[in-house]
Amino acid sequence: MAQYLIGDLQGCNEPLQRLLHKIDFSASRDTLYVLGDLVNRGPDSLGVLRSLHGLGDAAQCLLGNHDLNLLGIRHGLRKPHRSDTVQQVLDAPDGEALLDWLRHRRMAMHEHGWLMVHAGVLPQWSTAQTVALAAEVECVLRGPDLAGFLKGMYGNTPNRWQDSLDGADRLRVIVNALTRMRFCTADGAMEFATTGGSQTALPGYLPWFEVPGRKTAATPVAFGHWSTLGADHAAAGTAGLLHNTLPLDTGCVWGGCLMAARLGSAPGQFEPISVQCPEAQQPG
């Protein structure tokens, strides 16, 4: 009985199948925790969704920004970008069932001593608060006004958390932190334009996991979303944590590797297992 963390798949089903074969994954015995961005940019988003859906409760998946974008496209709130590769899901005979399954995925989890998110955690949030705020978003995702929530989800403001936030502003900040954030200020103001490595922060900003006094500092945090960071960390060949976090987007869709972290007996312990990926990003 083993538990595995895995980062962004982004429509790369063939590497996923090779990785599952390499770890001898059994849905009756093991659990896979996928940290969001299941779809888009890679060649087989439909295959990824069918594969994970078919694993039942053995695949516990988070939602990433690309997954939410797919829901936005489905509801006519976003136009597909020229690099998007999700039309196959929208056209599939089982597409609606898969999208309904997708909207019921989690935004954050705290399992086996690990906090799991797609992108990041604001420094003011504790582990318990992060999971509670994620549940607020999960509730509206599963509710009757999904289109209304998605319509109000987009935007960069407010760019920081306040307990007094309510309505669409409150949900937008939660979504942006959990699915888009890389950098923020020491007091939690988020910046979304910078996508390079951890050394590319604008003046006054730093990687969210480096903020002094971060309330989740004592909890190991696994996250995806940041391929330049995750690929560099994997290439360093270290099995250690980065400020008690584990970046697991190792750039599969860009020709990097796809890595699973087999969880150890204590929180923060893991064994990395990876397969190499051909570059799957579509032109444009």
Side-chain angles (χ1 to χ4, degrees), residues 73 86 128 139 154 179 205 221 246 250:
I73 293 171
V86 295
C139 183
Y154 297 101
T179 70
Y205 292 86
V221 182
L246 178 59
T250 46

Side-chain angles (χ1 to χ4, degrees), residues 1-256:
M1 185 174 185
Q3 295 84 36
Y4 298 92
L5 304 172
I6 188 169
D8 301 34
L9 295 171
Q10 293 201 238
C12 297
N13 190 45
E14 189 274 335
L16 171 63
Q17 300 308 316
R18 283 192 284 115
L19 183 59
L20 294 179
H21 178 76
K22 185 171 183 176
I23 64 178
D24 191 27
F25 184 82
S26 169
S28 64
R29 177 191 66 212
D30 307 323
T31 305
L32 191 70
Y33 295 92
V34 187
L35 304 181
D37 276 3
L38 315 180
V39 302
N40 208 14
R41 291 186 171 162
D44 195 5
S45 293
L46 180 60
V48 166
L49 293 182
R50 284 173 172 169
S51 295
L52 295 174
H53 179 268
L55 292 175
D57 291 341
Q60 299 292 318
C61 303
L62 297 179
L63 290 169
N65 52 301
H66 283 284
D67 309 311
L68 293 172
N69 186 61
L70 170 56
L71 293 174
I73 293 171
R74 163 60 185 83
H75 286 270
L77 302 169
R78 299 286 279 186
K79 291 184 178 180
H81 188 270
R82 61 180 181 178
S83 63
D84 287 342
T85 59
V86 295
Q87 192 62 43
Q88 57 187 226
V89 178
L90 301 173
D91 293 341
D94 55 344
E96 285 301 310
L98 292 170
L99 290 169
D100 186 64
W101 173 84
L102 192 66
R103 70 185 284 201
H104 285 80
R105 298 311 94 200
R106 301 281 301 276
M107 295 292 296
M109 290 183 277
H110 185 212
E111 302 284 347
H112 309 289
W114 289 79
L115 177 59
M116 307 173 197
V117 297
H118 175 61
V121 182
L122 282 169
Q124 301 96 329
W125 294 351
S126 67
T127 297
Q129 185 179 13
T130 301
V131 175
L133 293 173
E136 294 184 25
V137 177
E138 293 161 10
C139 183
V140 295
L141 277 167
R142 300 166 186 177
D145 191 25
L146 173 61
F149 160 71
L150 294 170
K151 185 176 181 180
M153 180 182 68
Y154 297 101
N156 295 339
T157 58
N159 69 345
R160 69 178 73 220
W161 175 253
Q162 296 181 41
D163 290 336
S164 60
L165 288 171
D166 60 8
D169 284 349
R170 181 181 180 90
L171 296 174
R172 191 181 309 114
V173 172
I174 299 169
V175 168
N176 282 343
L178 294 177
T179 70
R180 296 180 60 207
M181 179 174 64
R182 295 182 180 91
F183 299 99
C184 65
T185 62
D187 61 353
M190 296 178 282
E191 187 271 316
F192 303 109
T194 308
T195 61
S198 60
Q199 304 304 314
T200 64
L202 296 176
Y205 292 86
L206 62 166
W208 64 266
F209 49 81
E210 291 185 7
V211 172
R214 174 171 58 89
K215 287 189 176 181
T216 53
T219 303
V221 182
F223 66 101
H225 184 61
W226 201 342
S227 61
T228 50
L229 177 73
D232 287 347
H233 189 64
T238 177
L241 297 177
L242 186 65
H243 298 275
N244 209 27
T245 71
L246 178 59
L248 274 170
D249 179 2
T250 46
C252 178
V253 77
W254 306 106

